[in-house]
Amino acid sequence: MSAPRSAIEIVTIGDELLLGFTVDTNAAHLARELGDDGFRIARRTTCGDDAAQIADAVRDAFERTGAVITTGGLGPTSDDNTKSSIAAIFGRRMRLDENIWARLQQMWKARGWPGEIPESNKLQAMIPEGAKILENRHGSAPGIWLEDEHSRWVAMLPGVPRAIRGMRADTLRPRLRAWRGSAAVTVVRSRTVRTTGVSESALHDKMAEMRRRVHGLPLAFLPGWEGTDLRVTSRGLGDAEADATLERAVADIRARVGDAVYAEGADDMADTVLQAMRARGWRAAVAESCTGGMLGMRLTAIPGSSDAFVGGVIAYSNDVKVRDLGVNASDIDAHGAVSETVVLQMASGVRGRTGAEVGLAITGVAGPGGGTEEKPVGTVWMAIDTPLGARAVMSRLIGDRDEIRRRATQGVLNLLRKALSA
Amino acid sequence: MSAPRSAIEIVTIGDELLLGFTVDTNAAHLARELGDDGFRIARRTTCGDDAAQIADAVRDAFERTGAVITTGGLGPTSDDNTKSSIAAIFGRRMRLDENIWARLQQMWKARGWPGEIPESNKLQAMIPEGAKILENRHGSAPGIWLEDEHSRWVAMLPGVPRAIRGMRADTLRPRLRAWRGSAAVTVVRSRTVRTTGVSESALHDKMAEMRRRVHGLPLAFLPGWEGTDLRVTSRGLGDAEADATLERAVADIRARVGDAVYAEGADDMADTVLQAMRARGWRAAVAESCTGGMLGMRLTAIPGSSDAFVGGVIAYSNDVKVRDLGVNASDIDAHGAVSETVVLQMASGVRGRTGAEVGLAITGVAGPGGGTEEKPVGTVWMAIDTPLGARAVMSRLIGDRDEIRRRATQGVLNLLRKALSA
């Protein structure tokens, strides 16, 4: 093996995945963690449960790369094609593993199922000759490691996300490190700068000649409902040089993009805002109409948010806006529930009734119905009321109902972030 | 071409996907919609942006199946390796497409970017000789259709989800139908029965000897935070027979699983509950502690929910529980905020203050911190208060903070569903 042992292929198995009924989060998670360990993902493949499909897909990957991780096809409801199909690639027979069989019998009793476990379940306890068991402390089906005389291998993991995540860390990782040995590792590092409230094209403009590469590092624009993330990636540089170059690149991006940067890495806007609130010893309350609680949900998704968030009012109906937030019914009649005056009254109203230092409010037309010529779907008023003053902005947000609501929560949080950083 | 023209491979291109920074929702969406049109997905592959990787992955798929859809690598920030790599497979040169180039120049001006569009952008207007343009009304980069003399083809789509969804429907679908011609279509139909509040193993038990197949149709157990979905799939049956067999299978599943079935297909529990509320002319209000608004968000995610949902109170802090919901502070001191008496007071309190016929309440320990021996992380009290009476239940929910909160919203909605169907 002259090639450095670091390239791995991932084959995810299952009709559910192939047919798109299930989104393949396992492959993404595995790829990310293997990349963090310095392994290179050569290719990813998804095939169905059919034995021939599994054999073809895994054989192709095995002959290309000689290092393959599969997920799925080991669980109690699978037809168990994964193990036998891959055993055939290695020319191995299947044998009954008494330990697994005993464990299955125990589980059957533990679950209080009637009678004895059916013989048919013995299929689950069959493993290829010469296979090593990859212990699974996170689920029922163990993983399987099959290796040939050229130390080419296939690692079979179950399809359950929790099991995969756990097994990669505590069972698979040591084996992969041993396999790679002291081979040179291509260090892949990346850093992400998160921006919001600015269009992707405007970002291209700000980055100008650095739009494709920053200090020689490729720059990726990753637009989403939260905004557009800018990711720079270094490949093949030494640790120190990678860190230094990434640092310079991030500094340049921040300098060019400026105030639209709200976080780095995977940090959430809600976290950024909560930290700014804590720094001032303030607590927030929310008044939500079209988002129906999504803003409160985002803030409370952050563990420990209780020291900077008290709660609020979901004012979906106008009655609640009037009775619980003190919005003037006459203003709703005159300007509509989606208006500057109403959103400002919502923000100050929830601040007053909860005693929180900061009130955030959202009211808008999330669609698909309810749009008018004057206020089309996507029209959202957002407001903040703080000891520094009150502010309201209107946005025309794009996307479907869910996306419009998500963008609205991001928008009002960004409004508060800017006010607190001013 | 003796083989029926219905098998297609999907190749999704991009380092972001390969390395797992982005979850590949495009492939799942494409697969699902192609399946609905009666096409068979033979395999799915993900490769990086590197030209050699693209060439290898697409060539493999092209030689296997002769019908390949690619996504990604056409956008303004891509290095444009997709088109040239695939052109090489077909032995085609690249040529400048004046129309695309003109459109790019217009877009540059329309976006108000400075000066003239750089020559470098001409790369985006280069397409393989003999390629057909797949119009993109949903984004900037058009798609490309490349076909050889054996009517084997590769369709290149951009990577933007909205563009892919739109293009598949209005540009790709007619081409695929023309390609398939009158070839026999393998009809794949599936139906899903959604269950909640019952463990997967208990479902196995209820389904007993039908655990793997129902009326000869394979049965898939799909566990998730909402509960466990049971999907039966018919493959290769005629339309009428498929429908009849699926109907019988669903009836059997419903009969065996009983009250735990809350919906079919992709219907959400919130939708089920809102319909039951409408049927009685009732409206709901929520009082949320640990879920922080997630329950209200779920109910308002359903368009038209305003006729059965008024809003509620996010009572994250105990102050809000007492002041806005009328919970007795002494009960919080005596029993804790996560207790039967407090959750019942929350449900009746929000019902009273909003005038809604139904109050739903959640209070629990979502973690990761805050757990005690008596009330470990995952301990959640859920309550409903309706004209039929009040009811509270405690659950020990599993998963991380997000999963526990999701399961809690599902749990209280299921509590209401059962009360309304009683």
Side-chain angles (χ1 to χ4, degrees):
Chain A
M1 306 275 299
S2 59
R5 292 177 173 178
S6 68
I8 294 175
E9 293 202 32
I10 298 172
V11 179
T12 51
I13 297 164
D15 289 343
E16 294 295 325
L17 293 172
L18 181 67
L19 302 180
F21 291 130
T22 306
V23 173
D24 193 354
T25 53
N26 289 337
H29 179 83
L30 262 178
R32 214 162 48 241
E33 296 208 320
L34 290 168
D36 292 344
D37 284 350
F39 292 98
R40 187 173 66 78
I41 307 303
R43 195 186 292 192
R44 276 167 36 190
T45 306
T46 302
C47 67
D49 288 315
D50 172 72
Q53 278 191 48
I54 297 172
D56 290 346
V58 175
R59 183 180 294 105
D60 291 349
F62 184 69
E63 288 172 353
R64 268 192 305 266
T65 314
V68 182
I69 299 173
T70 71
T71 69
L74 302 179
T77 55
S78 87
D79 298 326
D80 201 41
N81 286 328
T82 299
K83 287 180 290 186
S84 50
S85 307
I86 295 174
I89 296 175
F90 284 78
R92 308 276 179 91
R93 286 209 192 72
M94 300 292 284
R95 68 169 181 82
L96 179 71
D97 184 288
E98 294 296 349
N99 296 332
I100 300 178
W101 179 232
R103 187 172 168 194
L104 287 171
Q105 290 169 305
Q106 290 161 12
M107 280 174 42
W108 183 272
K109 288 188 174 40
R111 289 179 177 175
W113 290 352
E116 282 297 308
I117 185 168
E119 281 294 304
S120 64
N121 291 45
K122 269 195 175 171
L123 253 186
Q124 290 177 52
M126 301 294 288
I127 67 168
E129 285 176 344
K132 295 190 180 65
I133 301 298
L134 299 174
E135 188 196 357
N136 178 1
R137 299 195 214 98
H138 316 272
S140 63
I144 289 170
W145 177 282
L146 207 48
E147 187 167 336
D148 73 6
E149 63 279 17
H150 309 296
S151 63
R152 300 186 306 169
W153 53 269
V154 175
M156 299 164 236
L157 304 182
V160 181
R162 197 182 298 114
I164 290 176
R165 287 157 201 236
M167 290 177 72
R168 190 208 64 88
D170 60 34
T171 316
L172 195 58
R173 181 182 251 161
R175 288 197 164 274
L176 294 185
R177 295 204 163 145
W179 163 72
R180 183 173 63 197
S182 58
V185 176
T186 302
V187 177
V188 179
R189 293 255 172 89
S190 70
R191 281 179 64 177
T192 302
V193 177
R194 313 202 72 182
T195 75
T196 197
V198 54
S199 73
E200 186 177 357
S201 56
L203 286 172
H204 288 199
D205 198 7
K206 289 172 184 284
M207 294 307 296
E209 80 282 357
M210 284 191 174
R211 188 179 309 141
R212 284 164 177 276
R213 295 188 162 271
V214 185
H215 292 298
L217 305 180
L219 176 65
F221 290 71
L222 310 169
W225 65 266
E226 293 170 285
T228 298
D229 292 349
L230 304 183
R231 179 180 293 118
V232 278
T233 304
S234 89
R235 211 176 249 90
L237 299 179
D239 286 5
E241 189 184 357
D243 291 343
T245 314
L246 285 166
E247 185 59 42
R248 280 200 305 277
V250 166
D252 267 340
I253 293 170
R254 281 182 165 279
R256 286 177 179 236
V257 175
D259 191 25
V261 177
Y262 69 87
E264 275 192 41
D267 291 355
D268 187 83
M269 170 73 82
D271 203 357
T272 302
V273 168
L274 286 170
Q275 288 173 28
M277 296 284 291
R278 277 190 204 99
R280 293 175 182 255
W282 290 354
R283 296 169 315 153
V286 298
E288 306 189 54
S289 182
C290 65
T291 46
M294 188 185 275
L295 178 58
M297 180 205 75
R298 278 193 70 184
L299 288 162
T300 55
I302 312 297
S305 48
S306 56
D307 58 0
F309 177 74
V310 299
V313 174
I314 300 172
Y316 203 60
S317 76
N318 288 340
D319 289 356
V320 175
K321 291 185 182 73
V322 172
R323 191 175 43 235
D324 290 353
L325 293 173
V327 174
N328 296 323
S330 58
D331 286 327
I332 295 178
D333 297 339
H335 308 285
V338 180
S339 60
E340 179 169 22
T341 178
V342 168
V343 78
L344 284 168
Q345 291 175 53
M346 289 170 68
S348 61
V350 77
R351 188 187 166 190
R353 78 162 301 119
T354 60
E357 290 78 8
V358 173
L360 302 97
I362 299 172
T363 177
V365 186
T372 65
E373 193 158 321
E374 186 203 357
K375 295 173 183 176
V377 170
T379 304
V380 178
W381 273 99
M382 298 162 279
I384 58 171
D385 191 313
T386 81
L388 306 171
R391 174 135 193 267
V393 298
M394 190 272 278
S395 291
R396 292 269 159 84
L397 304 176
I398 59 168
D400 59 17
R401 181 178 179 86
D402 180 55
E403 202 170 357
I404 287 168
R405 301 196 324 153
R406 291 170 182 265
R407 290 180 189 273
T409 62
Q410 187 78 344
V412 75
L413 288 171
N414 194 42
L415 195 61
L416 179 56
R417 174 187 69 90
K418 288 185 169 179
L420 295 178
S421 64
Chain B
M1 306 275 299
S2 59
R5 293 177 172 180
S6 68
I8 294 175
E9 292 203 32
I10 298 173
V11 180
T12 52
I13 298 164
D15 288 342
E16 294 297 326
L17 294 173
L18 182 67
L19 302 179
F21 292 130
T22 306
V23 174
D24 193 353
T25 54
N26 289 338
H29 179 83
L30 262 178
R32 213 161 48 242
E33 296 208 319
L34 291 168
D36 292 343
D37 284 351
F39 292 98
R40 187 173 66 79
I41 308 303
R43 195 186 293 191
R44 278 167 36 190
T45 306
T46 301
C47 68
D49 289 315
D50 172 72
Q53 278 192 47
I54 297 172
D56 291 345
V58 176
R59 182 181 293 105
D60 291 349
F62 184 68
E63 288 172 354
R64 269 193 304 265
T65 313
V68 183
I69 298 173
T70 71
T71 68
L74 303 178
T77 55
S78 86
D79 298 326
D80 201 41
N81 286 329
T82 299
K83 287 180 291 186
S84 50
S85 307
I86 294 173
I89 295 173
F90 284 77
R92 308 278 179 90
R93 286 210 193 72
M94 300 293 283
R95 68 169 181 81
L96 179 72
D97 185 291
E98 295 296 348
N99 297 332
I100 301 178
W101 179 231
R103 187 173 168 196
L104 288 171
Q105 290 169 305
Q106 290 161 12
M107 281 175 40
W108 185 271
K109 288 190 175 40
R111 289 179 177 176
W113 291 352
E116 283 297 308
I117 185 169
E119 282 294 303
S120 64
N121 290 48
K122 268 194 176 172
L123 254 186
Q124 290 178 50
M126 301 295 288
I127 67 168
E129 283 176 344
K132 295 191 180 63
I133 301 298
L134 298 175
E135 189 195 358
N136 178 359
R137 300 196 213 97
H138 316 271
S140 62
I144 290 171
W145 178 280
L146 208 47
E147 188 167 334
D148 73 5
E149 62 278 19
H150 310 297
S151 64
R152 300 186 306 170
W153 53 270
V154 176
M156 300 165 236
L157 304 181
V160 182
R162 198 182 298 113
I164 290 176
R165 287 157 201 238
M167 290 176 71
R168 189 209 64 89
D170 60 36
T171 316
L172 195 57
R173 181 183 251 158
R175 286 198 167 274
L176 294 185
R177 293 198 164 151
W179 163 71
R180 182 174 62 198
S182 58
V185 176
T186 303
V187 178
V188 179
R189 294 257 173 88
S190 70
R191 280 179 66 176
T192 303
V193 176
R194 313 201 72 182
T195 76
T196 197
V198 54
S199 72
E200 186 177 358
S201 55
L203 285 172
H204 288 201
D205 198 7
K206 290 173 184 285
M207 293 308 296
E209 81 282 356
M210 285 190 172
R211 189 178 307 147
R212 283 162 178 276
R213 297 191 160 267
V214 184
H215 292 298
L217 305 181
L219 176 64
F221 290 71
L222 310 169
W225 64 267
E226 292 170 286
T228 298
D229 292 348
L230 303 183
R231 179 179 293 117
V232 277
T233 304
S234 89
R235 210 176 252 91
L237 298 180
D239 286 5
E241 189 184 356
D243 291 344
T245 313
L246 285 166
E247 185 60 40
R248 280 199 305 278
V250 166
D252 267 344
I253 293 170
R254 281 183 166 277
R256 288 179 177 231
V257 175
D259 191 25
V261 176
Y262 69 87
E264 275 193 40
D267 291 355
D268 188 82
M269 171 74 82
D271 202 355
T272 302
V273 169
L274 285 169
Q275 288 173 26
M277 295 285 292
R278 277 191 204 97
R280 293 175 182 256
W282 289 354
R283 296 167 317 150
V286 298
E288 305 189 56
S289 184
C290 64
T291 46
M294 188 185 275
L295 179 57
M297 181 205 75
R298 278 194 70 184
L299 287 162
T300 55
I302 311 297
S305 48
S306 56
D307 57 1
F309 177 75
V310 299
V313 174
I314 301 173
Y316 204 60
S317 76
N318 288 341
D319 290 356
V320 175
K321 291 185 183 73
V322 172
R323 190 174 45 236
D324 290 353
L325 294 173
V327 174
N328 296 322
S330 57
D331 287 326
I332 295 179
D333 297 339
H335 308 284
V338 180
S339 59
E340 179 168 22
T341 175
V342 168
V343 79
L344 284 168
Q345 290 176 52
M346 288 170 67
S348 61
V350 76
R351 186 186 168 191
R353 77 163 302 117
T354 60
E357 290 78 8
V358 173
L360 301 97
I362 299 173
T363 178
V365 186
T372 65
E373 194 158 318
E374 187 202 357
K375 296 173 183 176
V377 169
T379 303
V380 177
W381 273 99
M382 298 162 279
I384 57 171
D385 190 313
T386 82
L388 306 171
R391 173 133 197 268
V393 298
M394 191 272 276
S395 290
R396 292 268 161 84
L397 304 175
I398 59 169
D400 59 17
R401 180 178 178 85
D402 180 54
E403 203 171 357
I404 287 169
R405 300 194 327 150
R406 291 171 183 266
R407 291 179 189 273
T409 62
Q410 188 78 345
V412 75
L413 288 172
N414 194 43
L415 195 61
L416 178 56
R417 175 187 69 89
K418 288 184 168 179
L420 295 178
S421 65

